[in-house]
Amino acid sequence: METVLLYILGIVIVAVGLAISIALHELGHLIPAKLFGVRVGQYMIGFGPTVWSRKRGETEYGIKAIPLGGYISMAGMFPPEKSGGRGRTASTGFFQTLVQDAGEAGADVVVDAEVEKRNGVFTAMVQEARASSADTVLDGEEHRTFYGLAIWKRIIIMLGGPFMNLVIAVVLFAVVLSGVGAQQASTTVGSVSECLLPATSTQKSCSPSDPLAPGAQAGIKPGDRLVSIDGTPVKDWAQVIGIVQASPAKQLSLVVERDGESMSVPVTPALTQRFVAGEDGKVATNADGTPRTDDVGMLGITAALEYVRQPLTAVLPAVGANIAGVANIIIHLPQRLVDVWNAAFGPDERDPNGPLSVVGVGRIAGEVTSINTIPVADRAAYLIGLVGSVNIALLVFNLIPLMPLDGGHVAGALWEGIRKLFAKLFKRPDPGPVDTAKVIPLTLAVVVVLGAMSLLLIYADIVKPISPF
């Protein structure tokens, strides 16, 4: 019963962390929008039916029934079709855009069949969506529209949300790295193997006929702290690995500290095989496609991990590395999704570094929290780091230059700036704002793709989840 409660607690903690992250993301849009004078009609956490709301000034603040997103509704996010017309109100949130744009555009295409017949379904979708929301811009407040702002102000508003995710991630990573520390291999023995299995071996465990590993044969025990090897003081575990691997069949004098006392242990590394890792971290292959191996010396001992507090200067590089990792996943997303499909509907295993849904994140949080053998501080650090990593994923994902994501609105503003620059250089009339409403059909296509991707990941996280260990 206690394990179940801890599992649920882990899910709740991460869910609250994500809800706060979403709220702060939308706050990153809200603050600059109000500072620049844009009329904001709503600030909502979640989507679907409203559970609670309160109006302060001209803005309604509230919580929706389905807490999987958030949005602010700004007047005139899409410009009018013609100069002098009235813009439509739209929102910054992904799910809200899905509901609002799909509902309005899809329903209104049916209303004006003549427009559809004359111009086609996509053109009708754009025109009717724009027309149906034009009256949301209040009379006399056309100057308070989003599209009427200077380009740099629009970019600041749209980048405000991802920027908040970046700030959250930096703060959480600082708490974990500088407050708790990063796990590193210590100079203390963590485990001692019974035998040594070559990398090419098909065995999964030791059999009674297998000879003892050199470490076990020499009497090395978990908890022993390595002091020196052949008279060379041990500074870190990487030094130990380097000496041992370069000394197959050569007797080494290993000095260890056990229960406060130093003792000399003669040990001879055994010659065995290990896989060679390539630049991408995966196993390198020979010309014939077989895995590449090296002959090295091994003792069959591993290091105990310990938390080492990092300086604040280590936080930004860690965040940067995480951003690069998420960006790499997104760049190779089609292949990643194929791998997820093969794992979900076939015998393949999930990539532990692959994409996850909110279900997968919740399962990992629950599993980590429910493991009583892990110290509470370690579990808390893991959950904090998990929420930080999710914020980095939100940051990178929202910067994709496609509507309805924040990056799509930034791309539209930048394109407008380029058009105006060329018009100025060639002394042509100001082309006016970019009509981003024209990409509504593409927006709906993106929404459909993202929805299908989410369903696939949720299914995979249910039938073949990724384990945190």
Side-chain angles (χ1 to χ4, degrees):
M1 183 63 180
E2 180 182 356
T3 300
V4 174
L5 292 176
L6 287 174
Y7 190 98
I8 296 173
L9 177 62
I11 296 176
V12 170
I13 290 174
V14 170
V16 171
L18 292 180
I20 294 174
S21 299
I22 291 170
L24 292 176
H25 175 99
E26 297 306 329
L27 194 64
H29 293 305
L30 178 71
I31 292 175
K34 284 187 170 291
L35 288 175
F36 295 146
V38 179
R39 188 176 69 83
V40 180
Q42 287 184 315
Y43 169 92
M44 292 289 174
I45 305 303
F47 73 101
T50 300
V51 175
W52 171 89
S53 71
R54 178 171 296 178
K55 194 164 186 178
R56 293 295 179 89
E58 62 187 10
T59 305
E60 179 187 8
Y61 301 86
I63 298 174
K64 297 282 188 176
I66 306 176
L68 293 179
Y71 68 94
I72 68 169
S73 177
M74 294 185 288
M77 201 153 188
F78 293 157
E81 181 179 13
K82 297 179 180 180
S83 178
R86 299 171 64 191
R88 60 169 299 209
T89 291
S91 62
T92 59
F94 164 73
F95 288 108
Q96 175 64 14
T97 302
L98 166 63
V99 175
Q100 179 171 302
D101 287 353
E104 294 176 354
D108 291 329
V109 165
V110 178
V111 173
D112 198 339
E114 288 301 320
V115 175
E116 177 180 336
K117 180 178 179 181
R118 183 171 63 251
N119 298 323
V121 64
F122 292 138
T123 302
M125 187 181 297
V126 173
Q127 292 178 345
E128 295 298 335
R130 185 188 293 116
S132 65
S133 297
D135 58 359
T136 56
V137 178
L138 302 181
D139 291 334
E141 291 197 351
E142 288 77 8
H143 63 287
R144 300 189 62 196
T145 57
F146 175 79
Y147 75 86
L149 292 176
I151 292 172
W152 65 271
K153 291 183 178 180
R154 278 180 271 164
I155 293 176
I156 288 177
I157 290 175
M158 297 316 302
L159 291 182
F163 176 75
M164 288 298 289
N165 292 126
L166 176 61
V167 172
I168 295 169
V170 170
V171 171
L172 295 182
F173 271 66
V175 170
V176 172
L177 294 177
S178 298
V180 180
Q183 276 193 333
Q184 295 181 356
S186 67
T187 57
T188 300
V189 177
S191 64
V192 180
S193 301
E194 294 181 14
C195 68
L196 290 180
L197 298 176
T200 54
S201 175
T202 58
Q203 283 185 237
K204 300 298 183 182
S205 61
C206 297
S207 65
S209 61
D210 290 326
L212 288 175
Q217 190 174 22
I220 299 174
K221 297 181 178 180
D224 288 348
R225 186 177 69 84
L226 306 187
V227 178
S228 66
I229 300 180
D230 274 357
T232 303
V234 172
K235 297 180 180 179
D236 53 49
W237 194 261
Q239 177 192 19
V240 176
I241 293 176
I243 294 175
V244 170
Q245 289 184 347
S247 307
K250 176 185 175 182
Q251 188 179 68
L252 301 174
S253 177
L254 187 65
V255 176
V256 303
E257 182 183 289
R258 180 184 301 168
D259 298 329
E261 297 183 2
S262 294
M263 56 186 300
S264 180
V265 180
V267 63
T268 302
L271 180 65
T272 188
Q273 291 180 324
R274 66 157 191 173
F275 288 122
V276 178
E279 294 182 358
D280 58 356
K282 297 181 180 180
V283 177
T285 56
N286 298 309
D288 59 358
T290 57
R292 188 184 305 172
T293 60
D294 269 349
D295 292 333
V296 297
M298 293 188 72
L299 294 178
I301 61 176
T302 60
L305 298 178
E306 62 180 359
Y307 280 97
V308 179
R309 290 187 177 182
Q310 306 295 305
L312 288 175
T313 53
V315 174
L316 290 182
V319 171
N322 208 309
I323 290 174
V326 175
N328 182 65
I329 291 178
I330 292 177
I331 291 172
H332 299 95
L333 191 57
Q335 181 58 49
R336 297 276 189 166
L337 292 178
V338 170
D339 295 340
V340 172
W341 177 279
N342 292 336
F345 298 98
D348 294 356
E349 293 296 323
R350 291 283 299 277
D351 181 357
N353 297 317
L356 287 168
S357 70
V358 290
V359 172
V361 173
R363 289 191 67 153
I364 288 177
E367 288 182 27
V368 170
T369 310
S370 62
I371 301 176
N372 290 316
T373 56
I374 299 178
V376 174
D378 292 1
R379 284 180 276 176
Y382 191 96
L383 294 181
I384 293 172
L386 184 62
V387 176
S389 296
V390 171
N391 271 276
I392 288 179
L394 292 174
L395 158 69
V396 178
F397 192 76
N398 268 289
L399 292 180
I400 296 175
L402 291 174
M403 301 280 277
L405 303 173
D406 297 334
H409 294 288
V410 172
L414 291 175
W415 175 241
E416 180 179 323
I418 293 172
R419 289 177 61 198
K420 290 188 175 184
L421 176 61
F422 275 93
K424 186 176 182 180
L425 288 175
F426 292 100
K427 298 181 179 180
R428 294 175 180 172
D430 187 336
V434 171
D435 188 3
T436 49
K438 290 182 178 179
V439 299
I440 286 179
L442 176 61
T443 300
L444 294 178
V446 171
V447 167
V448 170
V449 171
L450 293 178
M453 179 185 74
S454 299
L455 290 176
L456 172 61
L457 291 176
I458 289 172
Y459 177 77
D461 288 333
I462 293 174
V463 300
K464 193 170 286 186
I466 294 176
S467 174
F469 305 108

